[in-house]
Amino acid sequence: MSDVWGYDPTAGHNAGINLIGFTVEATDGSIGKIDKHSDEAGSAYVVVDTGGWIFGKQVLLPAGTIKRVEVPEQKVYVSRTKEEIKGAPEFDPDKHLGDPDYHQRLSSYYQRPLA
């Protein structure tokens, strides 16, 4: 994955599409719904509200983890398992949005080879 902060051109995402409320599917099941997203060049991401899956926490997923966007179905498919997402550096929206150190940690985590 060369650019973890950019959408893959084959993912089917077009800038300007509102992804809020879309369901997010990991490779092994649903992880929640998109609460926030950014199409900012070099820093695109989605914030997923995980509901009860990991005790009501939110996770930030760089756009490069998204493998497919299905607009009619309002679903986003990511290329990671639930366990990989759960193991990512903890996300606190009050501290980590726009924090370059957190973005670097997340980049390192998601750019490692897939299991």
Side-chain angles (χ1 to χ4, degrees):
M1 181 182 313
S2 60
D3 180 13
V4 74
W5 296 103
Y7 289 95
D8 184 313
T10 64
H13 174 69
N14 295 313
I17 293 176
N18 185 357
L19 299 177
I20 294 174
F22 279 39
T23 301
V24 179
E25 298 285 333
T27 59
D28 56 352
S30 181
I31 64 165
K33 291 192 175 205
I34 295 176
D35 196 36
K36 179 177 177 51
H37 77 103
S38 169
D39 285 337
E40 185 178 331
S43 187
Y45 61 84
V46 295
V47 174
V48 181
D49 181 348
T50 64
W53 174 56
I54 48 176
F55 309 109
K57 294 203 178 212
Q58 292 182 321
V59 294
L60 188 145
L61 295 173
T65 63
I66 295 172
K67 66 179 178 180
R68 191 169 84 244
V69 176
E70 295 290 342
V71 176
E73 293 83 14
Q74 295 196 342
K75 286 191 176 184
V76 170
Y77 295 85
V78 297
S79 61
R80 294 292 194 254
T81 65
K82 291 170 135 183
E83 200 58 39
E84 287 172 314
I85 293 166
K86 191 175 180 179
E90 188 172 340
F91 173 66
D92 180 338
D94 295 327
K95 293 179 186 173
H96 297 133
L97 280 180
D99 176 355
D101 291 334
Y102 179 74
H103 278 213
Q104 182 56 49
R105 286 195 324 257
L106 215 55
S107 291
S108 295
Y109 181 80
Y110 281 114
Q111 286 180 331
R112 73 191 202 291
L114 293 169

